[in-house]
Amino acid sequence: MHLTLLSPTIFESAAILNYLEQHFSLEKGIYKKGNLEVALSICGVGLVNTCIHTMQLANNKSDLLILIGLAGAYNQDLDLGSVVNITEERYGDLGAEDKDGSLISIHDLELIPSSKYPFKNGKLINPAASEFSFLPSATSVSVNKVTGSQTSIDLMRAKFNVDVENMEGAAFYQVCMEQRKKFLQIRAISNYVEPRNRAAWQLDLALKNLSDVIISMLDGLSDT
C-alpha cells in the first residue's frame, strides 16, 4: 500500500516524521516498511496552497491521501485534544457578504450549482469516510481566516451548523474528488471556536493525540 500524508505545517507532523525516520527505511523520499510505503508532504497553510499541492500529488501512485492537522471546534461536545475523521466539508467564506454581515455562499449566488459534482447540497462529502470507523466523525467548514469574534461565530453557526473549522479541508476534498483519489482527513481539536483566546488552546495535547493516532495507524498497516 502506498500512503501519502499531507500536513499544512511541519509543526503538525514533526512527531510523525520522527517516527518514520526511526522505524522505516528511506528510499528516494519514500518511507518503507513491509508492504507499506509512506510519503510525507507539507502542503502549506490555506486553501490555495492546499489546492496547488494536492493537484501536484493527484497523479502519483498513492492508494490513499490523508490530510492531517489541527482544527477548532464549534461543537463543545468534542473534547479538546480529541481526534476526528472529517466526513464532509464546506467552503465557509466563498461568496459575498450581505449587508448584515452574513455570507451569501457561492451556491446561494448560483455561481456554482449546489449539487453539481463534486458538491451535494453545497457540501463536499467524502465517499470513503465510512470505511474508516476507528475515529468519531465530524463535519467541517473551511475558511481563509479562522473565526474569532462572537458576531462571526454566531453567523457561522447559523449558516453552516458544523462541528469544526479548518483552513485547508474543502480544497483538499474538491481536488481529490475531481481526480477520483481516495482520501481521508483527520483532525485533532486544539481549541474551541470562541472569541479569540490563545491561552485556552491545547496545542500540545492535540498534537500528541493526532500523532499517536497516525502512528498507530501506520503501525497497523505496516504489519499487514
Side-chain angles (χ1 to χ4, degrees), residues 65-76:
L65 279 72
I66 303 180
L67 176 63
I68 63 173
L70 303 180
Y74 287 97
N75 181 356
Q76 297 208 7

Side-chain angles (χ1 to χ4, degrees), residues 70-74 80-81 147 188-194 197 200-203 206:
L70 303 180
Y74 287 97
L80 294 182
T147 307
I189 307 304
S190 58
N191 60 282
Y192 292 119
V193 181
E194 60 185 357
N197 178 18
W201 293 14
Q202 295 291 323
L203 292 175

Side-chain angles (χ1 to χ4, degrees), residues 78 84-88 136-140 163-164 173:
L78 294 173
V84 295
N85 171 14
I86 304 297
T87 58
E88 64 183 53
S137 62
T139 58
S140 181
D163 296 312
V164 306
Y173 271 46

Side-chain angles (χ1 to χ4, degrees), residues 71-72 86-91 124 138-142 160 162-167 169-170 173 185 187:
I86 304 297
T87 58
E88 64 183 53
E89 280 281 2
R90 303 188 73 163
Y91 287 102
L124 294 158
T139 58
S140 181
V141 62
S142 293
F160 298 112
V162 294
D163 296 312
V164 306
E165 75 172 21
N166 70 84
M167 300 181 72
Y173 271 46
Q185 182 180 188
R187 293 276 179 174

Side-chain angles (χ1 to χ4, degrees), residues 152-196:
S152 295
I153 292 166
D154 292 342
L155 290 169
M156 292 291 282
R157 285 185 186 277
K159 181 70 175 178
F160 298 112
N161 190 31
V162 294
D163 296 312
V164 306
E165 75 172 21
N166 70 84
M167 300 181 72
E168 296 84 22
F172 174 71
Y173 271 46
Q174 187 169 356
V175 172
C176 288
M177 294 177 75
E178 294 278 9
Q179 298 298 317
R180 301 305 200 271
K181 300 293 290 188
K182 193 171 185 177
F183 66 95
L184 184 65
Q185 182 180 188
I186 298 176
R187 293 276 179 174
I189 307 304
S190 58
N191 60 282
Y192 292 119
V193 181
E194 60 185 357
R196 190 168 176 82

